[in-house]
Amino acid sequence: MHFADRLAQAVKERGTPVLVGLDPRLANLPDELRELAAADGEAAAYREFCCAVIDAVADQVAVVKPQMAFFEELGPDGLAALHAVVAYARQRDLLVILDGKRNDIGSTATAYAKAYLGASSAWQGDALTVSPYLGDDSLEPFAQEAVAQEAGVFVLVKTSNPGGKTFQDLLIDGQPLYRCVAALVEKLAAESAGECGYGAVGAVAGATWPEQLVELRQAMPHTWFLVPGFGAQGAGAVEVAGAFDEQGLGAIVNSSRGIIFAYERGPYREQFGQGRWREAIAAAARDMTAQLRQYTPAARLA
Amino acid sequence: MHFADRLAQAVKERGTPVLVGLDPRLANLPDELRELAAADGEAAAYREFCCAVIDAVADQVAVVKPQMAFFEELGPDGLAALHAVVAYARQRDLLVILDGKRNDIGSTATAYAKAYLGASSAWQGDALTVSPYLGDDSLEPFAQEAVAQEAGVFVLVKTSNPGGKTFQDLLIDGQPLYRCVAALVEKLAAESAGECGYGAVGAVAGATWPEQLVELRQAMPHTWFLVPGFGAQGAGAVEVAGAFDEQGLGAIVNSSRGIIFAYERGPYREQFGQGRWREAIAAAARDMTAQLRQYTPAARLA
């Protein structure tokens, strides 16, 4: 089944566009996992923690997104842990977007696509994030492999960080660079559209730029958005409202720290304490869905 | 010792700017290694092959560049092989540039930098290639970590593929995007300059755009260039001439397939045959140095 159709179905079934980012960091892990890290190594602790996050949210959300950098930081052991985490998420019936922001020229781009996309790839990702700087012939191999493997890619268009504007907002004939990237991504999305109308090629567009989200939603009718920047980066449910289509589809909204380290934050810390960090994660994910439903067409999913 | 100074010293000592790209591909491996792949797995064959390439060129060249995509394609086993290859290259006194074209927003960029840069990182890279689309605050963590770890980064500026022009050549106030990226990279290079005058931050600029190489050399006096596109991608020694400074420093020129799979090509196949593929690799590297010396200021290194 086409990736965009699987994504649409999963989001509708769970009734939420919440995407849980798996960004393990040693300093933020609950004490019991820091003790595990000291005994068995950080990779073992990352694996245990991410699988626990998956257990805490698997009945509520449709998608998780491991941030590859944190696993890569631990060397080969970290990547073995990542592999196990992806396998576990799939076993729990979650879609997995590998956040690696990869790309390279032609045949090397194909190697990345074959590495990460689809059930027959080494990493078994449902999707991968991809960087556009290398141009059209670097994106096409990903689009082809995504279609062939019933997987997806999300191309960086308008990133959530303040420095995203350095190059992405530069004007070309009065139009910012991110719109030029958006035009290519939308073309690839339209060419790879599934039954739901969205393509195998999607875009990363940050919640920290709400006006541009609205603009991009209009300009990219075939493009699923992966929206980072919610929560810890400052954007709320109001800011992401423009990312959705009228049915409440077309966007998945990521929160990483805000959910997985919820037990560190005021209300969750008070309610659950460190001892019940798993429950804090589940509660934070539920609360995020409720917030999104209050202000956005995501309500229509419910 | 500062990365740029180590690089300058190593290039001068070996008398060549040749950089050997380690891009293992199963289909191109010599028969004996394809048999090893069938028996012990592709990762074992990649490791064996890359270590043999290192042995074949270690007395002639200063730098090798593993292409991470091909190792990632094999999953965790591939990355364990990559780790072993990097360690072996360092043991043979080669500088190692990890070609991963990584990047992400702020704190995640820091995680990538800590993963790959310097002897105390998990991967022990001397340098890493980095993508600029995420902007200034995504490049600064790499520059900082590079200086702290006496390592380097090479930021994509003008890539060697035909599609490199898709976005990189778009005009902003009459100036192409790659020049805007080049201006930021040169600033970071100037701020991180070592005794040789070059910075810890370098640039990737393809040999397939010889006029732009000349232009960038003038615009980026503190920036080491990593120059891909020589050989299999069509550029020769004449095309890369403009990348060097007057002393023959300032650029390292990559060849991957042209060296490591030399035994497949006409003259080397005839002279060495498949049985002596190691000697074909050594000969191809020597020939590339000779070609570069014929037409470029690299002659001044000799």
Side-chain angles (χ1 to χ4, degrees), chain B residues 124-140:
Chain B
Q124 302 199 302
D126 292 290
L128 176 71
T129 57
V130 168
S131 179
Y133 190 72
L134 288 122
D136 54 9
D137 60 6
S138 75
L139 295 178
E140 282 150 12

Side-chain angles (χ1 to χ4, degrees), chain B residues 66-292:
Chain B
Q67 170 50 258
M68 295 184 69
F70 299 115
F71 296 92
E72 291 175 58
E73 198 177 350
L74 304 186
D77 289 349
L79 287 150
L82 172 64
H83 195 266
V85 167
V86 174
Y88 188 66
R90 290 175 62 91
Q91 193 186 315
R92 294 298 316 256
D93 205 21
L94 291 165
L95 295 174
V96 180
I97 300 173
L98 287 160
D99 196 355
K101 300 186 172 60
R102 300 295 201 262
N103 211 343
D104 210 297
I105 65 171
S107 63
T108 312
T110 302
Y112 276 128
K114 287 188 182 296
Y116 292 108
L117 298 181
S120 63
S121 70
W123 295 91
Q124 302 199 302
D126 292 290
L128 176 71
T129 57
V130 168
S131 179
Y133 190 72
L134 288 122
D136 54 9
D137 60 6
S138 75
L139 295 178
E140 282 150 12
F142 286 101
Q144 283 166 20
E145 189 69 11
V147 169
Q149 301 300 327
E150 300 184 328
V153 291
F154 290 91
V155 182
L156 301 184
V157 170
K158 180 77 176 126
T159 61
S160 60
N161 56 319
K165 66 184 183 314
T166 315
F167 303 122
Q168 296 162 28
D169 284 8
L170 292 176
L171 294 180
I172 293 118
D173 288 335
Q175 177 171 267
L177 174 62
Y178 73 82
R179 286 299 301 268
C180 303
V181 177
L184 175 58
V185 171
E186 169 61 17
K187 177 177 162 282
L188 295 171
E191 288 170 1
S192 63
E195 286 180 19
C196 66
Y198 288 104
V201 178
V204 174
T208 48
W209 313 99
E211 290 170 27
Q212 288 82 351
L213 262 186
V214 172
E215 172 201 316
L216 290 171
R217 180 70 287 154
Q218 290 172 349
M220 306 175 81
H222 300 90
T223 308
W224 265 104
F225 292 161
L226 190 174
V227 183
F230 185 92
Q233 286 182 58
V238 175
E239 280 75 19
V240 300
F244 297 94
D245 67 20
E246 292 178 356
Q247 301 166 57
L249 293 176
I252 41 178
V253 182
N254 181 74
S255 177
S256 302
R257 282 166 281 177
I259 291 178
I260 69 174
F261 301 130
Y263 74 90
E264 288 184 325
R265 284 190 296 132
Y268 300 106
R269 189 153 90 182
E270 277 175 33
Q271 192 181 346
F272 300 102
Q274 171 142 175
R276 291 162 65 206
W277 54 272
R278 290 173 178 82
E279 290 163 72
I281 291 169
R286 268 194 305 274
D287 292 348
M288 182 172 162
T289 293
Q291 286 163 38
L292 289 175

Side-chain angles (χ1 to χ4, degrees), chain A residues 23 25 67-76 79-80 83 99-112 114-116 121-123 131-139 156-168 170-173 177-178 180-182 184 233 257, chain B residues 23 25 67-76 79-80 83 99-112 114-116 121-123 131-139 156-168 170-173 177-178 180-182 184 233 257:
Chain A
D23 295 28
R25 295 169 195 249
Q67 169 50 258
M68 295 185 68
F70 299 115
F71 296 92
E72 291 175 58
E73 198 177 349
L74 304 186
L79 286 150
H83 195 265
D99 195 355
K101 299 184 173 63
R102 298 296 201 262
N103 211 343
D104 211 296
I105 66 171
S107 63
T108 311
T110 301
Y112 276 128
K114 288 188 181 294
Y116 292 108
S121 70
W123 295 91
S131 180
Y133 190 72
L134 289 122
D136 54 10
D137 61 6
S138 75
L139 296 177
L156 302 184
V157 170
K158 181 79 177 122
T159 61
S160 60
N161 56 319
K165 64 184 184 313
T166 313
F167 302 123
Q168 296 162 27
L170 292 175
L171 294 180
I172 294 117
D173 288 334
L177 174 62
Y178 73 83
C180 303
V181 177
L184 174 58
Q233 286 181 59
R257 282 167 282 177
Chain B
D23 295 28
R25 294 169 193 250
Q67 170 50 258
M68 295 184 69
F70 299 115
F71 296 92
E72 291 175 58
E73 198 177 350
L74 304 186
L79 287 150
H83 195 266
D99 196 355
K101 300 186 172 60
R102 300 295 201 262
N103 211 343
D104 210 297
I105 65 171
S107 63
T108 312
T110 302
Y112 276 128
K114 287 188 182 296
Y116 292 108
S121 70
W123 295 91
S131 179
Y133 190 72
L134 288 122
D136 54 9
D137 60 6
S138 75
L139 295 178
L156 301 184
V157 170
K158 180 77 176 126
T159 61
S160 60
N161 56 319
K165 66 184 183 314
T166 315
F167 303 122
Q168 296 162 28
L170 292 176
L171 294 180
I172 293 118
D173 288 335
L177 174 62
Y178 73 82
C180 303
V181 177
L184 175 58
Q233 286 182 58
R257 282 166 281 177

